Amino acid sequence: AIAIVAMFSAGAANAVILDGDSQGDHVRLYGEVGVGGHFDTHPDYNHDEFYDTKGYVDDSFATMGVSGQREKFTYRLELDYQRRNWLGGDGEFELAIDKLYVGYRLTEQQWVELGLTDTAFDDYEHFGDFTFNKSIETGEAGDQENTVKYQAKFEHLIAGVSYSYDGEHKSGALQGDIINGYVGWMSDLLSVVVGLETRGGSNGVSKYGEQQQIGLGARLKLMPEFSIGVNGFIEDEDLSTRKSGDVHLDYQTFRNQGVTVSAKYDLNEHWEIISSVNHEEYEGWDLISPNYDYSELPPEYGKERQWASLGFNYRPARDIVLSLEGRVGEAPEAGYAYVRMYF
């Protein structure tokens, strides 16, 4: 009963500690509840962001998890309640296990995880992008089952690497073994992270072949209240261009790339203004590419798309954020609004 009361107590700024001692052993309950979504999703500029284009696509979301530590062993179980809004989905809610792993703290600065968890680069894929909704998508592996991950965080240096056996796309299609990692430098003035990823491919089981990717994120604080950031990626991805029965054949390499430049101005402790400019190119969009799929109509925006955004975040408390963002140009939606509460 105490745990339930604590979970819903107003103004909880951190995870609820269900049990703990002076030696560092603990059990924590945490989560978030968010309501909001995307306005005026545009059919001409929808790449793979939404299952449907209409006036409003609800993107409400909830997470609840338990994490803990006993001696040097750690664990985490996290459930997500989310909309299937991606292209090919149906927009309905689904309950899914997002994290399920055990770990071990090698030192105070180094640890390993084993199970269903974020791949290493996933932790920093949007680094340098200050927008709440995030902009370009790197296409990295995300969460994967059968993953072993090592991470380290020292005073300024951070690093991580992970290996995932028989990785899968979010659609469930096989992608093969996945290795990715990152290294970065963190400071109050300038922070930079570089990430790399490679995958082995599905060997004809799905359309996904081999892949190599590099990503870069950076943040620079020009003034105490004003920061700029950059986030970008370059990817070479092999995709099947024809099929015989159930076997995918003729894998061709597609070059994809994108960059976001964003800025954040802190008006005070509650309000911040955020803007961005964005550019994406996918070879599969290019009508004159030798690998273009002529069974599909060319996208309205051609081989690349650009858009800009302007919005604000309002934080009445440390664990509450109200976000509103408008977009112009070849953006997949005209606006985004969200309210999230964390515990």
Side-chain angles (χ1 to χ4, degrees):
I2 295 175
I4 299 299
V5 172
M7 183 179 71
F8 291 103
S9 61
N14 298 301
V16 179
I17 299 178
L18 304 180
D19 185 28
D21 61 30
S22 60
Q23 305 302 314
D25 293 352
H26 64 267
V27 179
R28 292 193 177 105
L29 178 69
Y30 66 91
E32 67 177 88
V33 176
V35 175
H38 310 268
F39 293 89
D40 192 20
T41 57
H42 202 302
D44 289 338
Y45 304 141
N46 182 32
H47 168 40
D48 62 1
E49 288 84 5
F50 306 115
Y51 77 100
D52 193 11
T53 52
K54 52 186 180 178
Y56 176 70
V57 175
D58 184 71
D59 197 29
S60 297
F61 178 86
T63 290
M64 181 175 290
V66 177
S67 65
Q69 179 173 326
R70 179 69 172 171
E71 300 294 338
K72 291 187 176 183
F73 289 89
T74 62
Y75 61 88
R76 184 174 173 183
L77 171 62
E78 181 176 303
L79 302 178
D80 286 349
Y81 195 51
Q82 61 189 358
R83 294 279 192 183
R84 294 189 291 262
N85 280 339
W86 50 84
L87 190 65
D90 56 14
E92 296 299 320
F93 275 113
E94 70 171 6
L95 182 64
I97 297 177
D98 188 63
K99 305 283 189 302
L100 195 164
Y101 67 78
V102 296
Y104 187 81
R105 298 198 69 88
L106 303 171
T107 68
E108 288 299 313
Q109 295 83 28
Q110 302 176 78
W111 61 96
V112 293
E113 297 169 5
L114 174 64
L116 169 56
T117 185
D118 299 326
T119 55
F121 187 28
D122 187 44
D123 292 335
Y124 291 95
E125 62 168 325
H126 288 295
F127 191 79
D129 182 354
F130 290 114
T131 62
F132 186 82
N133 188 31
K134 305 307 177 190
S135 297
I136 64 167
E137 292 289 342
T138 63
E140 50 68 54
D143 297 349
Q144 294 288 337
E145 300 178 13
N146 306 316
T147 296
V148 179
K149 179 169 68 171
Y150 163 84
Q151 289 182 288
K153 185 176 183 180
F154 302 102
E155 182 177 2
H156 294 291
L157 180 67
I158 61 170
V161 64
S162 65
Y163 165 77
S164 303
Y165 175 73
D166 273 355
E168 295 183 348
H169 186 263
K170 62 184 178 182
S171 66
L174 183 67
Q175 292 186 315
D177 296 354
I178 300 170
I179 299 174
N180 71 27
Y182 65 87
V183 62
W185 180 265
M186 299 292 172
S187 69
D188 293 336
L189 176 63
L190 175 65
S191 298
V192 180
V193 178
V194 177
L196 298 170
E197 177 174 291
T198 183
R199 73 171 186 240
S202 65
N203 295 319
V205 177
S206 79
K207 71 175 183 179
Y208 296 103
E210 298 180 359
Q211 174 246 32
Q212 296 82 38
Q213 179 177 207
I214 182 171
L216 170 69
R219 297 176 180 176
L220 175 63
K221 181 169 285 191
L222 297 176
M223 296 185 293
E225 67 279 359
F226 181 64
S227 299
I228 60 173
V230 61
N231 178 273
F233 75 96
I234 299 175
E235 174 189 46
D236 286 331
E237 181 179 34
D238 291 354
L239 297 174
S240 171
T241 58
R242 64 186 182 92
K243 191 175 179 182
S244 176
D246 293 331
V247 180
H248 292 263
L249 303 168
D250 196 13
Y251 288 85
Q252 300 295 325
T253 301
F254 291 77
R255 167 62 62 91
N256 309 316
Q257 54 193 342
V259 63
T260 291
V261 179
S262 61
K264 179 171 72 76
Y265 184 80
D266 298 322
L267 292 173
N268 51 48
E269 62 178 333
H270 299 294
W271 291 89
E272 54 190 25
I273 299 174
I274 299 172
S275 63
S276 75
V277 292
N278 309 274
H279 175 91
E280 277 184 314
E281 294 181 37
Y282 281 76
E283 187 173 336
W285 300 346
D286 190 354
L287 187 62
I288 63 173
S289 167
N291 297 322
Y292 184 77
D293 182 0
Y294 287 98
S295 67
E296 301 285 341
L297 291 174
E300 180 73 19
Y301 43 81
K303 67 178 183 179
E304 58 190 34
R305 65 179 182 179
Q306 296 90 25
W307 74 94
S309 70
L310 179 64
F312 69 84
N313 293 333
Y314 171 59
R315 304 179 189 273
R318 189 168 59 173
D319 52 357
I320 303 173
V321 57
L322 289 76
S323 181
L324 178 65
E325 179 182 284
R327 294 183 169 188
V328 295
E330 297 162 328
E333 79 268 62
Y336 183 87
Y338 221 104
V339 179
R340 281 190 182 178
M341 300 182 66
Y342 304 87
F343 62 87

